[in-house]
Amino acid sequence: MYKRNIESELQSALADTPVVLLSGARQTGKSTLARGFAQVRSIPYVTLDDATQLAAASSDAQGFLAGLGDRAVIDEVQKAPGLFPAIKMSVDRDRRPGRFLLTGSANVLLLPQISESLAGRMELITLFPLSQGELHGQRERFLDGVFSERLPALQPGDAIDLKDDVLAGAYPEAIQRSAGKRRDAWFAAYITALLQRDVRDLANIEGLTDMPRLLSLLAARVGSLMNMSELSRSSGIPSSTLKRYLSLLQATFLFQPLPAWSSNLGKRLIKSPKIHLIDSGLTTHLAGITRLSLDRDPVFFGHLFENFVVNELRKQIGWSDTRVNLHHYRTTTGREVDILLEDAAGRLVGLEVKTSATVVRKDFSGFDALSEDTGRQFVRGIVLYTGEQSVSFGENYMALPVSAMWRMTG
């Protein structure tokens, strides 16, 4: 079993907050963490995936909670929304920290009727599929490193071919299976179960059969700007329905758009988000991509590789000391930066993602525009590539092996 880097943050939250909600997509490891916590603390653990427990929680929320005692772990809590007001009443009477650890496969921030019930009483922690650091037994500090005054020194690494890692993705169960038919079978079953359970739980969707096709279209466009009109035409889904479907896919953590960075620069910046999905392995399955087809299509691999990097950064946000928001940057004249990191003070670090093993000065041109537009906010620009060396390209510009993302540790 893999040690999850988010675990220390989870323990800290439970030490000073009455309710902690561990949310994330299905099969990312939430239940494993929750059961382990319940065992260590010797407190009740219930899952609302159990039909009997769900019926009890739905029919009499306050009675259900009373039967659990003053502390409990409740798995898949979004299935019984009526529990949230009951939990609120319970913690208002007893504000001791660590009373309830909840898990959910829906993003409550996108379900205001649920999140408002526990405003000020609940901390939200998101669990993603395994990070590359977790796979290697390391706690990454890349986000802290790139905002430091000096980048941490790295020994040269090996040139790496990440295609197999990108194809596998990082769901704990999926990576245990052999590449090809067995892993594809897992992803197919995963999508079916998620659409039939979580999406159907959140909303009655008459056209549930449209969702797999929509997911495949999103996978084929990963790393590209969101164009709602084109996506509506290609999918045959009316625009108003499409927006609802995308919201549901985002609420269940499958669809994770990368927002455009905005400032007082006005209309010179593109405002459309980029299309990103939660996992590169899931993306390649949905797009019907194999190792052979990936070798033949370097352009798509570039988009997929960017999606892989974005997901690694999302995971590291959960345990980094530096609070970071992720964006992309693109001007109306076509100058762009793949990923823009912004810390709480408004400082900016730009990242370009390259699938090549060499870097040239031209690869830094997007940072020139970003630096001109943002002045002192701009800290540095980094090109992540598949080569071995860390190479300076002048003040504040650096080429780093992509493995630096999980080799900066602490």
Side-chain angles (χ1 to χ4, degrees):
M1 188 171 68
Y2 298 97
K3 179 173 174 57
R4 305 309 300 266
N5 290 337
I6 203 74
E7 193 168 347
S8 60
E9 274 62 36
L10 181 60
Q11 296 286 358
S12 296
L14 288 163
D16 60 18
T17 309
V19 184
V20 177
L21 174 61
L22 180 65
S23 64
R26 281 196 178 268
Q27 300 295 325
T28 55
K30 302 185 304 296
S31 297
T32 300
L33 277 180
R35 278 194 299 267
F37 174 80
Q39 290 170 359
V40 169
R41 300 285 183 96
S42 298
I43 60 177
Y45 167 88
V46 295
T47 176
L48 300 189
D49 274 340
D50 181 288
T52 303
Q53 299 282 8
L54 176 59
S58 300
S59 62
D60 181 6
Q62 292 189 33
F64 178 78
L65 281 184
L68 295 177
D70 61 351
R71 296 179 186 270
V73 175
I74 307 174
D75 203 6
E76 298 300 341
V77 70
Q78 83 283 346
K79 287 177 169 289
L83 275 177
F84 285 85
I87 292 171
K88 174 182 179 295
M89 291 178 62
S90 179
V91 298
D92 282 348
R93 291 192 297 266
D94 181 355
R95 294 295 293 260
R96 284 178 298 167
R99 291 202 55 211
F100 295 101
L101 171 59
L102 314 175
T103 82
S105 297
N107 188 343
V108 298
L109 295 179
L110 301 177
L111 305 171
Q113 73 277 16
I114 292 177
S115 62
E116 288 171 5
S117 299
L118 288 167
R121 303 164 182 86
M122 179 175 74
E123 183 166 338
L124 178 64
I125 294 176
T126 304
L127 184 69
F128 290 95
L130 292 161
S131 73
Q132 291 299 303
E134 288 170 331
L135 287 167
H136 293 89
Q138 298 169 343
R139 184 181 174 89
E140 305 99 316
R141 288 295 188 188
F142 179 78
L143 292 175
D144 298 323
V146 297
F147 277 99
S148 62
E149 186 174 345
R150 287 182 174 274
L151 280 173
L154 286 174
Q155 294 298 317
D158 295 329
I160 51 178
D161 179 359
L162 283 170
K163 286 181 182 175
D164 288 336
D165 294 324
V166 170
L167 284 164
Y171 282 97
E173 286 194 34
I175 60 176
Q176 301 301 320
R177 296 200 175 191
S178 56
K181 290 178 63 176
R182 296 310 307 146
R183 193 176 289 153
D184 277 340
W186 187 90
F187 281 122
Y190 176 76
I191 291 296
T192 299
L194 189 141
L195 295 180
Q196 293 292 340
R197 295 163 73 181
D198 295 331
V199 172
R200 196 180 288 279
D201 283 347
L202 291 174
N204 289 321
I205 298 179
E206 295 177 359
L208 197 60
T209 54
D210 291 335
M211 298 291 268
R213 186 171 75 256
L214 175 58
L215 277 169
S216 295
L217 287 171
L218 292 171
R221 290 158 176 75
V222 73
S224 302
L225 289 177
M226 174 74 75
N227 184 324
M228 292 293 290
S229 298
E230 187 275 332
L231 197 57
S232 178
R233 286 194 303 271
S234 298
S235 64
I237 300 172
S239 180
S240 58
T241 305
L242 178 61
K243 289 178 181 177
R244 182 177 176 224
Y245 285 7
L246 291 174
S247 295
L248 287 167
L249 292 175
Q250 194 169 352
T252 51
F253 296 95
L254 288 183
F255 174 53
Q256 300 273 280
L258 183 67
W261 185 73
S262 60
S263 71
N264 58 2
L265 300 178
K267 297 181 179 180
R268 292 197 302 112
L269 294 180
I270 296 291
K271 295 184 172 67
S272 298
K274 277 186 177 182
I275 296 170
H276 284 288
L277 300 182
I278 189 175
D279 181 74
S280 59
L282 180 66
T283 303
T284 56
H285 167 79
L286 289 166
I289 296 297
T290 64
R291 174 65 195 243
L292 182 60
S293 60
L294 209 57
D295 289 339
R296 291 174 175 171
D297 190 349
V299 174
F300 183 75
F301 180 58
H303 291 305
L304 189 61
F305 192 51
E306 180 186 320
N307 188 71
F308 172 83
V309 170
V310 167
N311 284 328
E312 290 302 305
L313 295 170
R314 288 192 199 279
K315 296 165 190 176
Q316 292 186 30
I317 286 172
W319 56 81
S320 294
D321 292 334
T322 307
R323 289 188 294 143
V324 176
N325 288 316
L326 301 184
H327 306 273
H328 76 89
Y329 167 88
R330 183 176 297 198
T331 70
T332 53
T333 58
R335 303 178 81 178
E336 62 181 308
V337 174
D338 289 337
I339 306 165
L340 189 60
L341 312 176
E342 182 174 24
D343 74 0
R347 298 186 303 158
L348 302 170
V349 171
L351 301 177
E352 277 290 310
V353 182
K354 300 294 178 184
T355 58
S356 65
T358 58
V359 176
V360 296
R361 180 58 180 81
K362 182 181 176 183
D363 294 328
F364 293 83
S365 60
F367 301 140
D368 295 336
L370 178 63
S371 178
E372 290 168 10
D373 284 343
T374 60
R376 291 185 178 181
Q377 285 180 271
F378 180 74
V379 176
R380 59 175 53 94
I382 297 170
V383 174
L384 295 171
Y385 75 122
T386 57
E388 307 171 27
Q389 303 287 333
S390 301
V391 183
S392 173
F393 276 76
E395 187 178 6
N396 300 330
Y397 287 177
M398 197 79 179
L400 292 179
V402 69
S403 60
M405 293 182 64
W406 51 93
R407 289 170 55 215
M408 285 188 192
T409 61

